[in-house]
Amino acid sequence: MVGLVVVSHSAALAEAALGLALEMVAGQPPRVVLAAGMDDGSFGTDAARVAAAIEEAEDGGGVVVITDLGSAVLSAEMAVEFLPDPDAPVRIVPAPFVEGLLAAVVAAAGGGDLAEVAAQASGALASKREQLGEVDPAPDGAGPGLEPGPPGAGAGQSAEGAGPGGAGPVDAASVGTEAGASADVVLVNPMGLHARPAATLAGALAGFDAEVSLEVPGRRPAPARSPLSVAGLGTRGGDTVRVSAGGPQAQAAVAEAVRLIEEGFGEAGEAPAAAQPDSAVSTGRPAGPGLGVSPGRVVGPAVHMPPPLAAPAEAAAVPPEARPAEARRLEAAASAVVRDLHDRARAAHGDAAAILSATAALAADPGPLEAALALLRDEGLDAERAIWSAYSDVAEQFGAAGGALAERASDVRDLRGRVVAALRGVPAPGVPERDAPFVLVARDLAPADTAGLDPARVLAIVASEGGPTSHTAILARSLGIPAVVGFPGAAALAEGEPVLVDGGSGEVVAGPSEEQSAGALTAPVPKERRAFTGSAATADGHAVSLLANIGTAADAAKAAAAGATGSGLFRTEFAFLDRAQAPSEDEQTELYAGVLRAFEGSKVVLRTLDSGSDKPLPFLDPEPEENPALGVRGLRTAFRHEGLLRTQLAAMARAQTLVPGTQAWVMAPMVATVEEAAWFAGLARAAGLATVGVMIETPAAALSAEHVLEHVDFVSLGTNDLAQYTMAADRLSAPLAALNDPWQPAVLRLIEATVNGAGLASARPGAARRTVGVCGEAASDPLLARVLIGLGVDSLSMSPGALAAVAEALAASTLEQCRAAATAALTATGAREARDAASGVL
């Protein structure tokens, strides 16, 4: 394959752009090496690093270099001079940074040669320029930057017949006439051929000996091999697309394209949140489905976030002589926003400080500012319109990428508003201030908003957008504020209207009745009641181990400071996310040792890599799956990449020796069979790890717990996934949030079956006691926590912010009361009934 080198002044920008590009590749991605930022973390480029990256990226097909700013081009040119081979096949292309990288990655993954990949990157803006009406149609058979081909040549084909090249539109009339084919097909996925479906289509058609184009009325045809050109058609669900092809396999290619489009690219059942009716809100009734991301049940008046700043109005072009002063005004406003975010980060603590620091780094990224300055300098846009346009482009790119990156689009929009507010000399929109506690209602919350939330005032959060990894969700859990995201009826909640919010089930009720409101909090828990001493027990002295869920060494330190005496779940995959290569054994050893040191002498459960589904790792070369949640994830990844698991286990064992006295337990995620548990236990013990367990996240594992525990020492219930697989309800689907509820009696019965299986395994002659823990979000719910203890669970692991509330709830009930509540919940007919039954007992 052709290799790629990404040269940027900003490491964060390069990593984000690469992550977006890799989202577009379904199969084997090309070799991509980043040469971004300086060794000390500052902005800049280094020619020596670029030269080393070029040599590393060479994979037999030459190297294409993508750069961001002018000095990056100079570094790349100097790097080529450093190469030992002056004739090395290296192309530094005049491509737009993000679009060019995306086009180059897709072209290289599709087997394009050096000329084709370079041309695709260089012409990556053609579809956007055409969509905005800023470019004249290219000559027939010519892509941007290419000479017209000979009569009958396909689009982007050079006069020498070198094969497909540019990313420009295909002239349908010029596509092979010997064996042509075409068909009209209606788009069934609501968002049409946006970036991901376009990339899927390009990858699927790459193997056909045919030139395929897509056309909609009023637009020139776009080559199917170019995702950017296809996405630039601006289609939506219900549009009719004509698929045309020429070449020996034209008919087969058209048939495959039609099949993919008719299947909806896996999105046929999805609808944008904005399309859902606000009429779902009605007094005393659930106001529609949402996704609970931070547990807790409260009632309070709805208070809406103020609307975002309006887009700048159209204005006459800034005269050339006034543009330097306008540029200085823009630079000053951007710098003021960066300083403000840095100051707020230094004053904040915990997750708020980390998120604000990351947002400040994003604000300091030179890319959007440089793009805005170029618009001001070259086109005369005033400062407000220039920065609005630059940040809007980035937000659209994030949104089109989907997944976790799409959840960051609100962060970019927030930065856009802050710079514009600074230019206007007005305060940036923020969280309203009220004397009495309230439920905050918003489209989504930006990092600077969530970081400033006051748990003494904000009872709960209801957002119409966002997901489980959005900043709203992360900080709500950290602060112990109940939260529901992805809620379509948020805008229709009346200002000041009482609202019931259940952050565990995702339920939101407008104007709840007294019966519905029973047991819900109407004021935040005072801070003095949130202190956790490190130990917990029921009212009659039954000790319960309360532990913390963590994702980094910094999380471990904060959890220990919050009173946690250990961790029931360390999510090691956080060290692997957004990495082009897996961390080395030495890197992992240091990470795990840092976590163990935070809880020296205590128990820490290290979970091996849980990738796949909503946490894809590009360097694992995952194959496309129809249903990733039911695909290769968790331990199943290790079946294909056993070396990765062995390295991780070796690092854990080394870390254990560096922190003697700490109880390092290890467990595997997503185990479904007894054979899988035995295989993992053998590898872990061979690596030198003595205490081995597995996650119970599937009904199969829960029902086989007795035999699973013949091979491992403990199990830990992941209630989020256990509910997902029991109820056949995607845990990331807001419309199915009511099904994906750990209070579902079927889920509770599987937890009971797991505990019973542990008891049977422990009762065998000579067997040690097998323990059962819960490390899902269910453990954070004070009411459900008591039901879990009543079912026989030994330990509960949760976000550190929930420890005090759970300990307080346990201390208010006896073990017998917890058992009675568990029995009542088990015999209920639904999740709501189970909660109400347990609440009635306790």
Side-chain angles (χ1 to χ4, degrees):
M1 283 189 186
V2 172
L4 301 173
V5 170
V6 183
V7 184
S8 171
H9 287 70
S10 166
L13 175 63
E15 290 170 0
L18 177 59
L20 173 62
L22 291 176
E23 284 279 333
M24 304 299 112
V25 178
Q28 172 70 35
R31 184 177 297 172
V32 185
V33 183
L34 302 183
M38 306 300 285
D39 289 336
D40 62 0
S42 62
F43 295 117
T45 57
D46 183 328
R49 290 184 65 192
V50 177
I54 291 173
E55 293 188 83
E56 183 181 348
E58 172 58 53
D59 195 26
V63 176
V64 168
V65 182
I66 309 287
T67 62
D68 58 1
L69 306 178
S71 56
V73 178
L74 296 177
S75 294
E77 290 176 334
M78 189 177 299
V80 174
E81 295 178 6
F82 290 166
L83 297 176
D85 180 5
D87 298 320
V90 178
R91 298 279 185 89
I92 305 170
V93 295
F97 186 67
V98 175
E99 294 92 339
L101 177 58
L102 191 154
V105 166
V106 172
D113 60 18
L114 186 62
E116 180 180 355
V117 174
Q120 290 278 10
S122 298
L125 278 185
S127 59
K128 182 186 287 186
R129 293 183 63 85
E130 183 194 354
Q131 190 172 0
L132 296 174
E134 296 181 359
V135 65
D136 294 328
D140 287 350
L146 297 177
E147 297 298 324
Q157 193 170 21
S158 69
E160 290 78 12
V170 172
D171 184 343
S174 71
V175 177
T177 55
E178 291 182 34
S182 65
D184 291 340
V185 59
V186 176
L187 297 176
V188 296
N189 56 318
M191 298 305 293
L193 296 172
H194 60 89
R196 280 188 295 169
T200 300
L201 190 64
L205 299 179
F208 289 90
D209 186 6
E211 286 287 336
V212 186
S213 67
L214 283 80
E215 183 178 7
V216 295
R219 301 296 305 277
R220 290 173 54 209
R225 66 171 176 273
S226 172
L228 291 173
S229 295
V230 172
L233 291 172
T235 56
R236 289 292 183 268
D239 289 350
T240 298
V241 176
R242 168 154 292 187
V243 183
S244 303
Q249 293 184 299
Q251 291 186 351
V254 168
E256 177 65 7
V258 169
R259 182 188 69 80
L260 286 169
I261 292 171
E262 288 181 338
E263 289 180 356
F265 302 93
E267 301 174 347
E270 300 177 5
Q276 303 204 30
D278 288 336
S279 59
V281 176
S282 57
T283 302
R285 295 176 54 109
L291 184 64
V293 293
S294 182
R297 189 173 176 86
V298 301
V299 172
V303 173
H304 286 259
M305 282 282 288
L309 290 177
E314 290 294 325
V318 177
E321 65 274 11
R323 292 176 188 179
E326 187 74 350
R328 289 192 294 272
R329 194 169 76 91
L330 175 55
E331 290 173 326
S335 296
V337 170
V338 174
R339 286 195 303 272
D340 176 65
L341 290 169
H342 274 304
D343 290 344
R344 296 178 66 180
R346 284 191 288 269
H349 302 282
D351 286 333
I355 290 175
L356 279 171
S357 295
T359 306
L362 185 63
D365 191 304
L369 179 59
E370 289 288 347
L373 290 172
L375 290 170
L376 195 161
R377 179 185 62 247
D378 300 336
E379 302 181 25
L381 268 65
D382 60 61
E384 287 187 19
R385 287 192 297 150
I387 198 66
W388 188 278
S389 176
Y391 271 125
S392 296
D393 283 348
V394 177
E396 288 174 9
Q397 291 159 6
F398 279 24
L405 194 61
E407 294 176 10
R408 298 293 179 260
S410 62
D411 304 358
V412 179
R413 289 192 293 266
D414 175 67
L415 289 176
R416 178 186 68 186
R418 290 181 182 278
V419 178
V420 170
L423 287 166
R424 295 178 183 175
V426 301
V431 178
E433 293 188 6
R434 297 288 188 275
D435 292 333
F438 60 91
V439 173
L440 181 62
V441 182
R443 174 184 174 184
D444 196 7
L445 296 179
D449 295 326
T450 49
L453 290 179
D454 182 1
R457 287 284 178 267
V458 180
L459 274 169
I461 301 168
V462 177
S464 60
E465 296 183 2
T469 62
S470 65
H471 286 141
T472 301
I474 294 169
L475 274 172
R477 287 192 291 265
S478 175
L479 295 171
I481 299 175
V484 174
V485 300
F487 176 65
L493 295 171
E495 185 80 10
E497 178 183 25
V499 177
L500 169 68
V501 180
D502 190 322
S505 68
E507 175 189 31
V508 178
V509 178
S513 66
E514 289 187 14
E515 182 181 358
Q516 289 172 315
S517 301
L521 293 174
T522 56
V525 178
K527 288 185 178 180
E528 57 270 18
R529 291 176 59 197
R530 298 184 182 208
F532 178 57
T533 62
S535 61
T538 59
D540 53 347
H542 176 73
V544 178
S545 178
L546 297 188
L547 305 168
N549 293 342
I550 56 175
T552 65
D555 287 347
K558 287 181 286 187
T565 56
S567 173
L569 173 62
F570 172 46
R571 301 180 176 96
T572 61
E573 62 272 8
F574 281 19
F576 291 74
L577 297 176
D578 301 324
R579 294 282 298 253
Q581 302 286 338
S584 67
E585 183 179 325
D586 288 343
E587 284 183 87
Q588 293 185 55
T589 298
E590 185 55 36
L591 170 65
Y592 306 148
V595 171
L596 295 176
R597 290 189 189 101
F599 299 112
E600 197 159 349
S602 300
K603 165 185 167 182
V604 176
V605 180
L606 307 169
R607 183 176 69 185
T608 57
L609 186 62
D610 187 14
S611 67
S613 187
D614 58 326
K615 291 174 285 190
L617 297 178
F619 62 81
L620 292 182
D621 184 24
E623 296 180 357
E625 297 179 295
E626 291 293 332
N627 190 339
L630 296 177
V632 180
R633 55 170 302 200
L635 185 63
R636 298 170 182 178
T637 302
F639 301 154
R640 293 181 55 197
H641 303 277
E642 185 176 326
L644 188 65
L645 175 61
R646 288 182 179 272
T647 298
Q648 192 172 25
L649 293 172
M652 291 176 177
R654 285 175 57 192
Q656 182 178 243
T657 63
L658 295 176
V659 192
T662 300
Q663 304 169 44
W665 294 20
V666 62
M667 69 177 177
M670 196 61 184
V671 169
T673 69
V674 175
E675 291 79 8
E676 290 172 0
W679 178 76
F680 173 75
L683 289 179
R685 292 188 175 116
L689 294 158
T691 308
V692 182
V694 298
M695 295 280 289
I696 301 292
E697 299 168 283
T698 65
L703 296 172
S704 304
E706 176 187 357
H707 301 295
V708 166
L709 283 161
E710 292 176 4
H711 301 278
V712 298
D713 307 294
F714 71 98
V715 293
S716 186
L717 288 145
T719 51
N720 297 343
D721 273 323
L722 185 60
Q724 170 176 243
Y725 296 126
T726 302
M727 305 306 297
D730 189 337
R731 57 185 285 190
L732 301 183
S733 171
L736 300 181
L739 285 176
N740 200 335
D741 187 337
W743 280 100
Q744 290 286 355
V747 177
L748 296 177
R749 289 169 194 149
L750 288 172
I751 296 173
E752 180 188 42
T754 302
V755 172
N756 290 340
L760 292 171
S762 301
R764 292 179 181 165
R769 184 173 182 273
R770 286 359 189 188
T771 61
V772 178
V774 170
C775 62
E777 289 297 335
S780 300
D781 181 339
L783 179 62
L784 185 51
R786 285 176 281 177
V787 169
L788 294 171
I789 296 304
L791 288 171
V793 168
D794 300 294
S795 66
L796 303 171
S797 191
M798 63 203 72
S799 60
L803 289 166
V806 172
E808 184 177 358
L810 288 169
S813 305
T814 66
L815 180 59
E816 284 307 311
Q817 287 174 324
C818 292
R819 288 171 175 165
T823 299
L826 285 170
T827 56
T829 57
R832 172 65 62 79
E833 292 77 11
R835 177 187 284 276
D836 291 345
S839 181
V841 172
L842 296 173

